[in-house]
Amino acid sequence: MKEIIAISNNDLARAHEIIDNCDSVLIGAGTGLSAAAGFLTNDFGTFKRLFPGYTRRYGLKTVAEAISFYFPSAEEHYAFLARYISAFRYSTPPKDVYTNFLEMVKNKPHFVITTITDGQFANAGFEKQRIYSPHGDLSFFQCSMPCTKKLVQNRKMIDSMLDDLSENPFAIRSSNIPTCPRCGSFLEPNILESVNFNNIPWMQKSTDYIDFLKNSVKGKLVMLELGVGHDGSSIIRLPFEYIAANYQNTVLIRVNLKDYRTEVPFADRQTLAYQMDIKEFCAAIALCV
Ligand SMILES: [Zn+2]
């Protein structure tokens, strides 16, 4: 297979022209976009700022470590979750990188598929019916069993838990531990990392995504793939490459600092790969729009 060549950072006019002239845009976003927006799960500085005292008390150094850490009590587990969900889902203003992408696509039919669970596309103003996030969304709790496929909005519960932390910064009140109204089990964030992740509500939304694809491949479709690593291969990278290889009017624009090569045969013919920071790409393209 011919090896794809990463395009020079100076050749952004090509991407701009293709986006400008297309009929619809499909955005595929992975954790690289979160990082570009400043949501750093592997950064000690970020962790120290958001979780003061957690390193000394628990020996934790990053958000990623803390997400999979077994806290000594449920009260401490939910204290961490309340801080995490508040910081990553609710209390951060929309980031430029997201609002710039919205500006770029808002006047064309568009859709977002993402493995990110922080809801920043919705926070930036993307319509919820145009977002498909099969790895879940931090704004929902689910039963940890789960005894039901129903999800629960957690904003009020998170705010109430944060209020508890003024008394004890590391633990919520026992009476505030969220439980399933149906079976009494603990509630957990509805994200892939949770034990017994309930993906049924998200699978039901996949029909919106499939409908968008069926319509858009009839015209000039641009797939804008942003920071999708191999953890998003089966959901975003490979399907996008397959579409690029099989539908002549489609173009895959891949922005990725490391993994920019294509794997599906012939996908390289219709792929522009930018080996650069997503924020820089976005800012440069936004200036052209
Ligand atoms: Zn339950």
Side-chain angles (χ1 to χ4, degrees), residues 142-148 179-187:
Q142 65 162 78
C143 171
S144 54
M145 287 297 286
C147 74
T148 169
T179 53
C180 172
R182 200 156 172 264
C183 75
S185 302
F186 290 159
L187 295 180

Side-chain angles (χ1 to χ4, degrees), residues 254-274:
R254 170 169 287 166
V255 189
N256 202 307
L257 274 171
K258 293 178 191 165
D259 304 318
Y260 61 86
R261 292 178 180 82
T262 54
E263 292 173 52
V264 173
F266 308 117
D268 57 306
R269 296 177 183 175
Q270 284 168 220
T271 298
L272 301 180
Y274 289 87

Side-chain angles (χ1 to χ4, degrees), residues 27 42 56 66 85 105 109 133 139 163 200 209-210 233 236 251 253 264 266:
I27 293 177
N42 285 304
R56 194 170 169 194
I85 293 172
V105 303
S133 55
S139 69
D163 288 344
I200 294 170
Y209 175 49
I210 291 164
S233 261
I236 300 174
V251 176
I253 297 178
V264 173
F266 308 117

Side-chain angles (χ1 to χ4, degrees), residues 89 114-119 132-140 142 151 189-193 197-199 202:
R89 180 66 177 87
T114 180
T115 55
I116 308 171
T117 58
D118 63 20
Y132 174 44
S133 55
H135 286 189
D137 184 328
L138 282 171
S139 69
F140 292 103
Q142 65 162 78
L151 304 179
N190 177 239
I191 56 173
L192 184 68
E193 291 85 353
F197 171 54
N198 167 18
N199 69 349
W202 302 107

Side-chain angles (χ1 to χ4, degrees), residues 30-281:
T31 49
L33 177 59
S34 296
F39 295 95
L40 302 172
T41 54
N42 285 304
D43 178 61
F44 184 41
T46 302
F47 186 73
K48 266 203 313 188
R49 178 171 54 81
L50 296 175
F51 302 92
Y54 274 66
T55 302
R56 194 170 169 194
R57 188 179 175 96
Y58 302 109
L60 296 167
K61 290 183 179 166
T62 65
V63 173
E65 274 180 24
I67 288 171
S68 54
F69 181 69
Y70 284 93
F71 285 89
S73 68
E75 289 82 355
E76 288 162 275
H77 171 66
Y78 284 100
F80 164 75
L81 279 183
R83 288 180 189 274
Y84 168 55
I85 293 172
S86 173
F88 276 69
R89 180 66 177 87
Y90 292 130
S91 61
T92 309
K95 299 285 190 177
D96 288 352
V97 68
Y98 285 94
T99 50
N100 284 343
F101 278 123
L102 179 60
E103 279 300 307
M104 208 182 288
V105 303
K106 69 180 184 186
N107 295 323
K108 295 177 187 282
H110 60 275
F111 200 90
V112 174
I113 176 170
T114 180
T115 55
I116 308 171
T117 58
D118 63 20
Q120 294 302 319
F121 278 104
N123 286 358
F126 280 82
E127 293 171 27
K128 284 183 182 168
Q129 64 268 28
R130 295 178 188 271
I131 303 168
Y132 174 44
S133 55
H135 286 189
D137 184 328
L138 282 171
S139 69
F140 292 103
F141 275 153
Q142 65 162 78
C143 171
S144 54
M145 287 297 286
C147 74
T148 169
K149 65 182 181 185
K150 279 190 181 170
L151 304 179
V152 187
Q153 276 281 352
N154 61 25
R155 180 82 194 240
K156 284 183 182 166
M157 287 184 260
I158 296 298
D159 286 345
S160 173
M161 290 182 215
L162 289 175
D163 288 344
D164 288 354
L165 303 183
S166 57
E167 287 173 29
N168 178 348
F170 297 105
I172 65 164
R173 283 180 294 127
S174 303
S175 58
N176 231 357
I177 292 173
T179 53
C180 172
R182 200 156 172 264
C183 75
S185 302
F186 290 159
L187 295 180
E188 286 288 341
N190 177 239
I191 56 173
L192 184 68
E193 291 85 353
S194 291
V195 177
N196 297 328
F197 171 54
N198 167 18
N199 69 349
I200 294 170
W202 302 107
M203 289 302 104
Q204 288 167 344
K205 279 201 77 177
S206 66
T207 52
D208 295 342
Y209 175 49
I210 291 164
D211 287 346
F212 175 84
L213 275 180
K214 277 183 186 165
N215 288 324
S216 55
V217 292
K218 293 173 190 163
K220 287 186 279 184
L221 168 68
V222 167
M223 293 170 287
L224 196 50
E225 188 200 282
L226 307 167
V228 182
H230 288 287
D231 54 332
S233 261
S234 60
I235 292 176
I236 300 174
R237 281 178 73 98
L238 293 176
F240 277 24
E241 288 182 18
Y242 177 83
I243 293 165
N246 286 280
Y247 292 89
Q248 287 185 351
N249 288 328
T250 62
V251 176
L252 168 58
I253 297 178
R254 170 169 287 166
V255 189
N256 202 307
L257 274 171
K258 293 178 191 165
D259 304 318
Y260 61 86
R261 292 178 180 82
T262 54
E263 292 173 52
V264 173
F266 308 117
D268 57 306
R269 296 177 183 175
Q270 284 168 220
T271 298
L272 301 180
Y274 289 87
Q275 190 182 16
M276 64 186 292
D277 182 83
I278 296 169
K279 214 170 170 180
E280 284 173 29
F281 173 87

